[in-house]
Amino acid sequence: MEQPRILVVEDEQAIADTILYALRTDGMQAEHCTLGSAALARMRADAADLVILDVGLPDVNGFEVCRTLRTFCDVPVIFLTARHEEIDRIVGLEIGADDYVVKPFSPRELAARVRAILRRARGGAAPAPAATDSGFTHDADGARLAYRGRWLDLTRYEYLLLALLVAHPGRIYTRAQLMELVWQDALDTSDRTVDTHVKTLRAKLRDATPEGEGAERIRTHRGMGYSLDPMQA
Ligand code: CA
């Protein structure tokens, strides 16, 4: 099995160091951020398997970070808290945490909990797919695509069209090329076929992203055709 990748979000360096050490000793890959905003950017670009999240961060508190994270990703979250008053909120799971640890804590105990949660997550539903550089994940065997960790509900031609664009980010395809490559086995098509499918794909990408920014990933090049924006939004 691949080494699980854990993101540790903790602003106190000494605490972060002991956690990172414990996780790495336990055979896990561990990365570290000190800010909530950095953690979210990191997760959007390339999701870790589990997040250890301090509640008291310098920029955004851990609850807010978790709430935002939940809008695009189902990754397990373990909270670190220094205050017993915060436990009720965490335990109430109103913010979608999987577990919590109260400071001071044993880093080895934390590593053991991480292992337990990962086992549970792997035994359950299919894990949220890890995004590639473009934010898309392509499961060719299952003929499906995910954007930022969420599987998209696509029709056959929407899937074929998006898979082609995702395979070559930045490359411009003319309508004629798309018709030939994507609709080669279609019985009846019209000049509007490509445009119609781009429109429905954009709507689905918009709905799959918190600010609707996904819609902008498919770019129109006037008089030329369409491409996938290779840049992370
Ligand atoms: Ca802190």
Side-chain angles (χ1 to χ4, degrees):
M1 186 170 65
E2 255 186 82
Q3 279 192 326
R5 292 160 53 217
I6 316 299
L7 180 63
V8 178
V9 192
E10 165 63 75
D11 57 304
E12 286 169 68
Q13 191 64 49
I15 295 176
D17 285 344
T18 60
I19 297 171
L20 293 169
Y21 180 78
L23 295 173
R24 287 168 184 159
T25 305
D26 208 77
M28 293 181 254
Q29 286 182 48
E31 291 166 50
H32 177 220
C33 298
T34 52
L35 296 177
S37 54
L40 288 170
R42 177 77 186 70
M43 289 298 289
R44 283 189 200 276
D46 186 11
D49 297 313
L50 185 144
V51 178
I52 296 175
L53 186 56
D54 186 24
V55 175
L57 293 168
D59 58 345
V60 210
N61 79 45
F63 296 136
E64 283 306 315
V65 174
C66 188
R67 201 169 286 128
T68 306
L69 188 60
R70 286 286 174 256
T71 63
F72 64 90
C73 186
D74 293 327
V75 66
V77 172
I78 299 180
F79 274 107
L80 301 180
T81 176
R83 300 171 57 194
H84 284 269
E85 304 89 271
E86 289 167 345
I87 295 171
D88 286 347
R89 281 185 79 186
I90 299 169
V91 173
L93 298 182
E94 54 169 303
I95 29 133
D98 293 82
D99 203 350
Y100 70 93
V101 169
V102 181
K103 295 174 183 175
F105 56 87
S106 145
R108 285 184 59 196
E109 164 69 17
L110 176 59
R113 291 209 203 179
V114 167
R115 284 268 176 216
I117 289 171
L118 288 174
R119 263 198 306 276
R120 210 160 70 207
R122 288 205 162 115
T132 60
D133 287 348
S134 70
F136 288 91
T137 305
H138 185 194
D139 168 19
D141 292 339
R144 57 184 185 159
L145 284 149
Y147 185 55
R148 292 188 172 166
R150 290 195 172 174
W151 294 113
L152 300 166
D153 183 20
L154 304 176
T155 64
R156 172 175 153 73
Y157 289 110
E158 287 167 355
Y159 161 73
L160 291 170
L161 173 59
L162 187 57
L164 179 64
L165 296 175
V166 163
H168 305 282
R171 174 162 166 188
I172 300 171
Y173 288 92
T174 64
R175 286 180 181 75
Q177 287 171 330
L178 292 172
M179 286 302 297
E180 194 180 319
L181 293 165
V182 175
W183 279 271
Q184 49 188 330
D185 62 348
L187 293 176
D188 73 320
T189 54
S190 77
D191 294 349
R192 300 280 304 144
T193 301
V194 175
D195 298 339
T196 307
H197 282 77
V198 166
K199 194 175 164 192
T200 58
L201 264 180
R202 282 184 175 142
K204 289 180 180 182
L205 288 166
R206 181 184 310 122
D207 292 346
T209 44
E211 317 278 345
E213 66 273 21
E216 289 153 32
R217 295 308 303 278
I218 301 177
R219 299 173 69 169
T220 303
H221 301 266
R222 293 187 61 156
M224 298 171 76
Y226 296 103
S227 72
L228 185 84
D229 181 353
M231 302 298 290
Q232 277 288 338

